[in-house]
Amino acid sequence: MTTDNLNDIVEAIVAELREKTSFEIEASARHIHLDQPTIDALFGTGHQLTAKRPLSQPGQFVSEERLTLVGPNGKIANVAVLGPARKQSQVELSMTDARTLGVTPPLRESGHLDQTPGITLVSDQGKSVGIESGVIVAQRHVHMTPSDAKLYGVKNGDVVDVKTTGDRGLIFGNVVIRVSDRFATRMHVDFDEANACGLKKGMRGTIYKK
């Protein structure tokens, strides 16, 4: 066996190990989750969100419906609404989005909405609804299957550091692990964070420190 052949074998083994112990990173654009009463007020009683394309998380989808966010200092149009409907409306922004709108949302896990600011939602038909709370900057997180959590040696609620690949690879701190058999294993960052690490399709992350 030549040195070149041995190097090829080693590289293949390393690549396989890296694939098994890392996960894909996705950019999560600004988006809105709606409860049914808010859907009714914006689009008509009994309206059901219309799926446009599926998301990586099972059962989740980008809908055909779009809304404009209106804050104290500005507005952002054509914001995606994700389905299906939730128990409580929630708006997820980047820090840059928050400054544009003039709101000061806290850094929170999804669904942790106590003492969060509200915002006005406006449909293409001109109907508007003001939600009293629910605006957050989502804490970076990894959706993880139970089997992958076991493989990586983590559990639901753990906070870890994640090292990214690529030319602008960096280490993200304070990444929350969220484990469920309803998830597919993916890390989610917002667009500010995606730009910081030069996120490209297929970029992967590895748990760097627990």
Side-chain angles (χ1 to χ4, degrees):
M1 180 180 294
T2 67
T3 300
D4 287 343
N5 288 340
L6 181 59
N7 287 339
D8 289 343
I9 293 171
V10 170
E11 288 179 4
I13 292 172
V14 170
E16 183 178 0
L17 289 172
R18 185 181 297 116
E19 183 75 16
K20 288 182 177 179
T21 58
S22 65
F23 36 80
E24 189 172 348
I25 302 173
E26 297 177 333
S28 180
R30 68 181 76 99
H31 61 271
I32 303 165
H33 300 281
L34 297 175
D35 58 26
Q36 191 59 48
T38 306
I39 293 172
D40 291 345
L42 288 167
F43 303 108
T45 302
H47 182 86
Q48 298 296 307
L49 296 176
T50 307
K52 181 177 181 179
R53 60 177 176 84
L55 295 168
S56 62
Q57 296 305 307
Q60 306 294 304
F61 59 86
V62 177
S63 74
E64 295 283 358
E65 291 80 2
R66 296 272 168 158
L67 294 172
T68 295
L69 298 173
V70 181
N73 295 343
K75 63 182 181 180
I76 299 176
N78 199 37
V79 180
V81 176
L82 305 189
R86 290 198 175 184
K87 293 181 179 179
Q88 185 174 354
S89 294
Q90 175 176 302
V91 177
E92 297 184 33
L93 304 173
S94 70
M95 291 292 190
T96 300
D97 295 331
R99 285 194 291 270
T100 298
L101 294 165
V103 294
T104 54
L107 185 67
R108 290 284 181 85
E109 289 185 59
S110 179
H112 294 205
L113 305 180
D114 291 345
Q115 298 182 331
T116 55
I119 203 163
T120 300
L121 311 173
V122 182
S123 72
D124 290 342
Q125 293 75 34
K127 294 182 179 179
S128 65
V129 172
I131 58 173
E132 295 183 356
S133 63
V135 182
I136 64 170
V137 173
Q139 185 168 356
R140 58 184 76 109
H141 55 278
V142 182
H143 294 280
M144 193 170 285
T145 64
S147 59
D148 280 344
K150 185 176 180 180
L151 174 65
Y152 303 141
V154 294
K155 63 183 184 300
N156 188 58
D158 280 354
V159 178
V160 302
D161 293 347
V162 172
K163 186 175 183 179
T164 71
T165 59
D167 295 336
R168 299 187 68 187
L170 48 75
I171 296 172
F172 283 118
N174 298 319
V175 182
V176 177
I177 301 296
R178 299 174 60 191
V179 180
S180 172
D181 56 10
R182 301 188 305 273
F183 291 159
T185 300
R186 298 286 193 282
M187 178 173 173
H188 284 166
V189 297
D190 66 32
F191 268 26
D192 288 352
E193 296 166 324
N195 288 333
C197 70
L199 184 65
K200 296 179 181 178
K201 185 175 177 59
M203 181 179 285
R204 302 185 71 81
T206 303
I207 292 177
Y208 180 74
K209 182 177 67 176
K210 294 195 287 289

